[in-house]
């Protein structure tokens, strides 16, 4: 499982810092293949923003994040935002709100940085496919803002 391998590779950073792992996991939420990934997230105190904010169970989502081959008749929930920070705002856009520019719908997550870690950095792991992970490091600046990320591919 590529997703699980990537999580393990960055484990030391994830446990030290405020972290958001967001994107297309290519994992259907109610499949048996998804269990190891979701169990790993839970064991590392990473919560799904959607499931926490919408008070839904993984695998029992009311909305979809992806429409296979742009077909409304083939909806799936495969895009996630897991974080160890407090979620202040969350929105999963409706497909029509996005102008159907993609077969995925946008999702927005706003977090509160609890200053985890001595250096107050934050990490965001984001990519459309887990086979090419983008790793971004944010430095905390004055107030609760973050600087422009340093990107590592």
């Amino acid at each position: 499982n590529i997703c699980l391998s990537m999580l393990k590779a960055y484990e030391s950073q994830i446990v030290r810092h405020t972290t958001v792992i967001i994107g297309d996991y290519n994992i259907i939420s109610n499949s048996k293949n998804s269990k190891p990934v979701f169990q790993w997230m839970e064991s590392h105190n990473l919560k799904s923003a959607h499931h926490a904010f919408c008070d839904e169970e993984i695998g029992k989502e009311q909305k979809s994040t992806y429409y296979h081959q742009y077909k409304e008749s083939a909806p799936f929930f495969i895009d996630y935002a897991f974080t160890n920070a407090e979620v202040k705002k969350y929105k999963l856009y409706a497909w029509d709100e996005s102008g159907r520019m993609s077969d995925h719908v946008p999702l927005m997550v706003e977090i509160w940085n609890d200053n985890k870690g001595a250096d107050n950095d934050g990490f965001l792991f984001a990519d459309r496919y887990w086979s090419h992970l983008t790793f971004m490091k944010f430095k905390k600046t004055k107030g609760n803002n973050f600087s422009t990320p340093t990107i590592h591919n």
Side-chain angles (χ1 to χ4, degrees):
N1 185 317
I2 293 172
C3 181
L4 198 52
S5 297
M6 295 303 293
L7 291 168
K8 289 176 181 179
Y10 286 103
E11 184 172 14
S12 65
Q13 297 299 319
I14 291 169
V15 299
R16 282 186 46 222
H17 302 285
T18 300
T19 301
V20 178
I21 304 169
I22 188 169
D24 175 357
Y25 286 36
N26 273 335
I27 297 174
I28 298 171
S29 63
N30 61 0
S31 75
K32 65 180 177 183
N33 295 334
S34 66
K35 276 193 171 198
V37 173
F38 298 137
Q39 288 171 340
W40 192 95
M41 296 287 197
E42 186 177 334
S43 72
H44 289 79
N45 199 33
L46 293 159
K47 308 286 186 236
S48 164
H50 175 85
H51 298 91
F53 207 81
C54 298
D55 196 29
E56 291 184 341
E57 289 182 46
I58 291 177
K60 298 183 179 179
E61 297 83 10
Q62 299 298 309
K63 296 181 178 181
S64 300
T65 63
Y66 170 69
Y67 296 89
H68 186 63
Q69 296 180 340
Y70 290 87
K71 295 178 185 169
E72 229 168 326
S73 62
F76 296 95
F77 197 99
I78 63 172
D79 300 88
Y80 304 88
F82 278 85
T83 183
N84 56 9
E86 178 186 343
V87 177
K88 290 176 65 175
K89 293 181 186 177
Y90 172 82
K91 181 172 182 177
L92 177 62
Y93 288 81
W95 202 24
D96 288 335
E97 286 180 283
S98 71
R100 298 185 182 206
M101 294 174 60
S102 171
D103 49 359
H104 294 262
V105 297
L107 61 92
M108 183 277 304
V109 178
E110 183 179 331
I111 64 164
W112 177 257
N113 180 19
D114 65 357
N115 297 326
K116 184 177 183 179
D119 56 8
N120 296 328
D121 291 349
F123 286 88
L124 174 70
F125 299 82
D127 200 76
R128 182 151 165 80
Y129 301 105
W130 277 91
S131 58
H132 182 255
L133 186 70
T134 301
F135 171 74
M136 294 179 267
K137 180 176 181 179
F138 294 83
K139 281 284 197 191
K140 187 157 178 4
T141 59
K142 285 187 177 183
N144 204 35
N145 300 318
F146 287 95
S147 64
T148 304
T150 303
I151 299 175
H152 308 272
N153 289 317

